[in-house]
């Protein structure tokens, strides 16, 4: 039997980005992928994996009382340690910068199991933003045996931190693989309002704007400014339709509904299943977002993004011109959105150079890199730094 490799997911983005890697491993046949759900966000992980027609192989029991980060971290490390002792995988893959990522890396490191960090090297340079993710990914960077960087800049960040160059590979981001494969399925929408908005966009009867504002730093007054900007854009452009999947937090949902009450052509929804979000994004004219995943996915669908954050670690899209940082300044959001709505050529030019985050082959490079680390394959070539999609 081929060696087992654990892929540990605790959140929806982790599940989305790890599922294509598991598929690549199954296709190559050199490694046995074991999808482990850490218990951090169990329902959302299950829903995300459903989009790829897979299920977690192991779901860890996790009892949460206080909801604190220390409680979560220690509970996951304890459960993961017991599982690692029982199964003894050849390697453990963790993704990104969540509490699950840190727990998986620490548990594997203590068991002397090689840690593979997928989406390694992202840095904002500020431990307070995003918090605690910036610290998590830097800590994992100290433990990983193999660093799979999504971009050349991420790889440079690692080399600047004295990571051994032979242990760094530019793979691209597996979220691009995920988004392209799921959007191509064209699965039907469960929400008739979204179906109507996308149908109008597909037939050229409307321009669709996707708005997401999920990060904690966006809540409160910043979110009010974002909602005010959306109101002004809807008033100024009668052909646009807005879809805003609201955060599940009841207070945030109430703030969104109050801020957009009575505004026509705006659809507020619950958090969307990944297939619906990917298809929605693929039909958008423009994205207003604080989501890292959407920043990475949008260029593959030639959708420019206005980033609703003061700082982003995904600066590659800024350098490539396919995204622009606008923060939560109401006037700036309106002005930059208006430029794109008024000038189709400008909009097209923003995404003309393809997606700097990937070419849809990151999962295959990841599988080959892990196999090479375990002596089962030759080392893969890195992703070209200039990508045409």
């Amino acid at each position: 039997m081929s060696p087992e490799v654990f892929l540990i997911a605790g959140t929806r983005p982790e599940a989305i980005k790890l599922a294509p890697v598991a598929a690549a491993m199954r296709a190559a046949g050199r490694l046995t992928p074991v999808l482990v759900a850490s218990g951090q966000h169990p329902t959302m992980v299950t829903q995300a994996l459903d989009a790829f027609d897979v299920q977690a192989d192991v779901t860890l029991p996790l009892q949460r009382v206080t909801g604190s980060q220390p409680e979560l971290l220690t509970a996951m490390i304890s459960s993961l340690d017991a599982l690692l002792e029982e199964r003894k995988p050849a390697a453990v893959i963790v993704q990104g910068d969540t509490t699950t990522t840190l727990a998986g890396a620490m548990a594997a490191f203590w068991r002397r199991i090689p840690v593979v960090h997928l989406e390694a090297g992202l840095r904002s340079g500020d431990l307070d933003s995003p918090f605690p993710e910036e610290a998590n990914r830097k800590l994992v960077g100290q433990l990983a045996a193999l660093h799979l960087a999504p971009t050349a800049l991420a790889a440079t960040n690692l080399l600047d931190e004295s990571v051994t160059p032979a242990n760094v590979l530019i793979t691209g981001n597996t979220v691009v693989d995920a988004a392209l494969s799921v959007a191509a399925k064209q699965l039907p929408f469960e929400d008739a309002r979204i179906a109507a908005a996308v149908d109008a966009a597909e037939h050229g009867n409307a321009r669709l704007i996707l708005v997401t504002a999920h990060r904690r730093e966006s809540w409160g007054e910043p979110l009010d400014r974002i909602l005010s900007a959306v109101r002004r854009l809807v008033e100024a452009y009668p052909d646009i339709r807005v879809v805003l999947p609201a955060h599940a937090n009841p207070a945030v949902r109430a703030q969104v509904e109050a801020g957009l009450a009575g505004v026509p052509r705006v659809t507020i929804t619950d958090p969307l299943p990944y297939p619906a979000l990917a298809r929605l994004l693929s039909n958008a004219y423009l994205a207003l977002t604080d989501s890292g995943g959407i920043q990475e996915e949008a260029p593959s669908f030639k959708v420019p993004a206005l980033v609703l954050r003061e700082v982003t670690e995904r600066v590659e899209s800024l350098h490539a011109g396919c995204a622009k940082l606008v923060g939560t300044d109401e006037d700036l959001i309106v002005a930059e959105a208006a430029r794109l709505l008024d000038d189709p050529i400008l909009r097209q030019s923003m995404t003309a150079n393809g997606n700097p985050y990937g070419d849809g082959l990151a999962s295959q490079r990841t599988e080959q890199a892990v196999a090479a680390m375990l002596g089962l394959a030759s080392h893969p070539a890195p992703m070209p730094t200039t990508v045409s999609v």
Side-chain angles (χ1 to χ4, degrees):
M1 184 177 178
S2 55
E4 283 191 351
V5 175
F6 280 13
L7 298 85
I8 303 177
T11 66
R12 171 171 143 153
E14 287 170 296
I16 289 168
K17 294 178 181 183
L18 287 169
V21 176
M25 288 182 174
R26 285 191 293 270
R30 293 181 286 212
L31 304 167
T32 299
V34 178
L35 282 164
V36 178
S38 73
Q40 183 173 351
H41 293 161
T43 301
M44 297 183 76
V45 166
T46 298
Q47 291 172 343
L49 292 177
D50 284 344
F52 302 90
D53 299 319
V54 295
Q55 296 177 336
D57 299 291
V58 179
T59 299
L60 298 178
L62 189 63
Q63 299 296 324
R64 302 184 69 176
V65 178
T66 67
S68 70
Q69 290 295 305
E71 176 192 61
L72 176 62
L73 181 66
T74 53
M76 286 195 296
I77 288 177
S78 178
S79 294
L80 285 167
D81 181 68
L83 180 65
L84 293 171
E85 182 180 24
E86 175 190 353
R87 301 281 289 259
K88 297 179 174 57
V92 166
I93 301 179
V94 295
Q95 189 283 325
D97 49 27
T98 71
T99 307
T100 289
T101 310
L102 181 59
M106 293 177 71
F109 178 77
W110 287 333
R111 286 282 172 186
R112 295 189 177 276
I113 297 169
V115 175
V116 179
H117 190 193
L118 187 65
E119 197 176 6
L122 272 66
R123 299 290 185 268
S124 70
D126 182 355
L127 284 176
D128 288 326
S129 181
F131 179 89
E133 290 83 0
E134 176 77 356
N136 289 347
R137 55 197 175 210
K138 293 188 74 173
L139 290 167
V140 173
Q142 299 301 306
L143 305 177
L146 178 60
H147 308 256
L148 302 181
T151 65
L153 178 58
T156 298
N157 290 337
L158 292 165
L159 299 179
D160 288 346
E161 295 173 0
S162 300
V163 174
T164 303
N167 298 336
V168 178
L169 177 72
I170 304 170
T171 58
N173 198 312
T174 59
V175 76
V176 176
D177 307 25
L180 291 172
S181 65
V182 170
K185 295 179 181 179
Q186 294 286 294
L187 297 175
F189 294 102
E190 295 179 2
D191 190 323
R193 300 171 303 162
I194 299 177
V198 169
D199 183 72
E202 289 178 338
H203 289 86
N205 298 322
R207 291 184 289 180
L208 182 62
I209 297 181
L210 172 63
V211 181
T212 69
H214 293 161
R215 290 185 177 270
R216 289 183 181 274
E217 60 261 37
S218 299
W219 298 359
E221 291 184 9
L223 181 55
D224 280 335
R225 295 193 291 268
I226 293 168
L227 299 174
S228 182
V230 170
R231 288 198 305 271
R232 289 170 57 184
L233 289 168
V234 172
E235 291 170 0
Y237 295 89
D239 69 323
I240 67 172
R241 299 183 68 159
V242 173
V243 177
L244 194 163
H247 195 281
N249 181 290
V252 178
R253 177 63 177 262
Q255 183 180 357
V256 169
E257 291 182 342
L260 295 175
V263 180
R265 307 189 311 281
V266 173
T267 299
I268 300 168
T269 76
D270 293 333
L272 295 176
Y274 186 63
L277 184 63
R279 185 179 174 192
L280 183 62
L281 177 61
S282 71
N283 283 280
Y285 188 91
L286 169 65
L288 306 179
T289 185
D290 62 2
S291 163
I294 288 178
Q295 291 176 61
E296 296 159 347
E297 297 160 347
S300 290
F301 302 117
K302 301 190 180 302
V303 177
L306 298 181
V307 182
L308 306 173
R309 296 180 61 189
E310 304 304 324
V311 62
T312 179
E313 59 274 38
R314 291 168 173 84
V315 297
E316 293 88 346
S317 54
L318 306 181
H319 295 163
C322 49
K324 190 162 186 176
L325 205 63
V326 296
T328 59
D329 183 310
E330 177 185 336
D331 291 335
L332 184 58
I333 295 169
V334 172
E336 293 298 333
R339 290 181 66 221
L340 294 169
L341 289 163
D342 292 338
D343 189 345
I345 295 176
L346 173 63
R347 174 186 177 274
Q348 184 178 4
S349 70
M350 282 187 67
T351 57
N353 294 323
N355 192 336
Y357 297 107
D359 55 1
L361 301 175
S363 301
Q364 296 177 32
R365 294 189 189 95
T366 297
E367 185 279 333
Q368 191 171 351
V370 177
M373 181 186 73
L374 298 176
L376 302 174
S378 59
H379 290 276
M383 184 188 79
T385 55
T386 301
V387 179
S388 297
V389 178

